[in-house]
Amino acid sequence: MPQRDDPHVGVPRHVAIIMDGNGRWAGQRGMPRTFGHHKGVEAVRRIVRHAGERSIRTLTLFAFSRENWGRPKSEISELMSILRRFIRSDLGELVEAGVNIRVIGCRDELDPDLLQMIEDAEQRTRHNTRLRLVLAFNYGGRDEIVRAARRMAEAAASGELDPATIDEACFASYLDTGAWGDPDLVIRTSGEKRISNFLLWQSAYAEYVFPAVLWPDFGEDEFDKALAEYAKRERRFGTVPESIVES
Ligand code: IPE
Ligand code: IPE
Ligand code: MG
């Protein structure tokens, strides 16, 4: 158990962010939505840096949902290009900064060249331990659960997995997040209060914070405010606090 004088008390180990509001940010300036996505990349850089400074172990960023394929073709192709450009321009620095890059989501639907870049980024940063940066790209929570169930069914059919041994821990190990697990804190910017198919299984006991600020305006101070809010929360996991346990 963490002690009161432990500097990490109240600091979430895993923060996950639904980066929302790019389109509205651009619209407010009379600019196309893609302008907001470009600005959003600067916020990503700020928050990755800051998360490392705040001793966050894992930072998950929701960058593209499977449902986002329903957007105009031009916007989708720009979002794909933005990821390509981000990897190209920032990978060297992330390697140097000790960031371990992981990507979650359905890979089968991505262009082979983008997939190759993602695999290369994961490979080049695999020994890094300062911060795990998880990009949720072409990610949907239900899709992830279905893919996990399919792989388990395949393993059971081939005799590798005994169905009787399937429990929550076993199931979780088949999810894309199997190697690191659940977020402690989920932040969604832009004032929307919904989870939009993000980390459905993993967020069972996460704390949520919904800052009104649009993603391109999300900075270090806003991140710190969310951390301060988290530190005030009492996580119960279905139990009662020790202070009121009746003997
Ligand atoms: C979030 O901003 C980025 C992605 C979903 C890729 P939006 O593009 O959803 O911006 P709004 O919600 O329309 O303002
Ligand atoms: C969720 O935001 C997906 C990402 C941030 C990548 P959306 O803007 O797509 O979600 P909805 O459509 O408002 O629920
Ligand atoms: Mg949105």
Side-chain angles (χ1 to χ4, degrees):
M1 286 293 278
Q3 300 300 307
R4 274 212 169 279
D5 54 358
D6 181 339
H8 294 292
V9 165
V11 179
R13 292 180 64 80
H14 181 176
V15 178
I17 307 183
I18 303 175
M19 309 184 289
D20 199 16
N22 294 351
R24 276 164 282 169
W25 188 91
Q28 286 169 0
R29 286 156 182 80
M31 300 296 280
R33 297 175 53 79
T34 49
F35 183 64
H37 297 318
H38 283 280
K39 270 288 169 186
V41 177
E42 290 172 27
V44 167
R45 292 192 179 109
R46 281 199 293 275
I47 295 310
V48 170
R49 214 173 302 125
H50 199 59
E53 283 163 13
R54 287 286 176 267
S55 304
I56 307 296
R57 305 304 309 150
T58 302
L59 175 70
T60 299
L61 299 178
F62 199 6
F64 187 83
S65 77
R66 278 191 93 227
E67 291 72 28
N68 288 150
W69 291 107
R71 294 188 178 203
K73 282 211 160 42
S74 55
E75 181 174 346
I76 295 169
S77 85
E78 197 55 35
L79 287 166
M80 299 291 152
S81 305
I82 285 173
L83 179 59
R84 282 189 182 88
R85 249 173 279 153
F86 176 72
I87 295 175
R88 228 172 264 137
S89 60
D90 287 50
L91 183 56
E93 207 176 301
L94 292 168
V95 171
E96 287 300 304
V99 176
N100 171 223
I101 298 175
R102 306 296 294 262
V103 177
I104 59 172
C106 178
R107 297 187 178 210
D108 301 349
E109 296 160 349
L110 298 178
D111 283 351
D113 75 301
L114 181 55
L115 192 56
Q116 187 57 55
M117 292 178 80
I118 286 170
E119 285 170 0
D120 179 54
E122 288 179 327
Q123 182 66 14
R124 280 182 61 192
T125 62
R126 70 189 187 287
H127 296 307
N128 284 351
T129 55
R130 182 162 157 74
L131 170 74
R132 181 187 293 115
L133 172 63
V134 183
L135 297 176
F137 199 86
N138 195 27
Y139 176 85
R142 287 184 173 181
D143 171 69
E144 180 194 31
I145 290 168
V146 168
R147 283 189 287 105
R150 194 185 303 134
R151 285 203 294 126
M152 289 172 76
E154 285 163 2
S158 70
E160 278 165 56
L161 176 67
D162 175 1
T165 64
I166 298 173
D167 56 11
E168 290 187 14
C170 169
F171 196 95
S173 73
Y174 277 83
L175 294 168
D176 295 350
T177 53
W180 57 91
D182 301 349
D184 301 295
L185 169 64
V186 176
I187 301 171
R188 181 174 188 145
T189 58
S190 89
E192 303 295 345
K193 295 180 182 68
R194 55 177 172 266
I195 57 176
S196 301
N197 207 10
F198 186 49
L199 299 180
L200 294 182
W201 168 285
Q202 297 89 337
S203 297
Y205 269 103
E207 295 294 329
Y208 279 86
V209 174
F210 298 103
V213 62
L214 302 174
W215 177 251
D217 289 331
F218 194 77
E220 292 87 344
D221 50 338
E222 290 288 341
F223 192 75
D224 284 345
K225 266 193 240 167
L227 294 181
E229 171 65 37
Y230 173 86
K232 283 192 283 183
R233 301 274 176 94
E234 180 182 49
R235 303 185 75 188
R236 291 188 172 188
F237 301 99
T239 68
V240 288
E242 264 171 51
S243 55
I244 62 163
V245 171
E246 294 154 17
S247 50

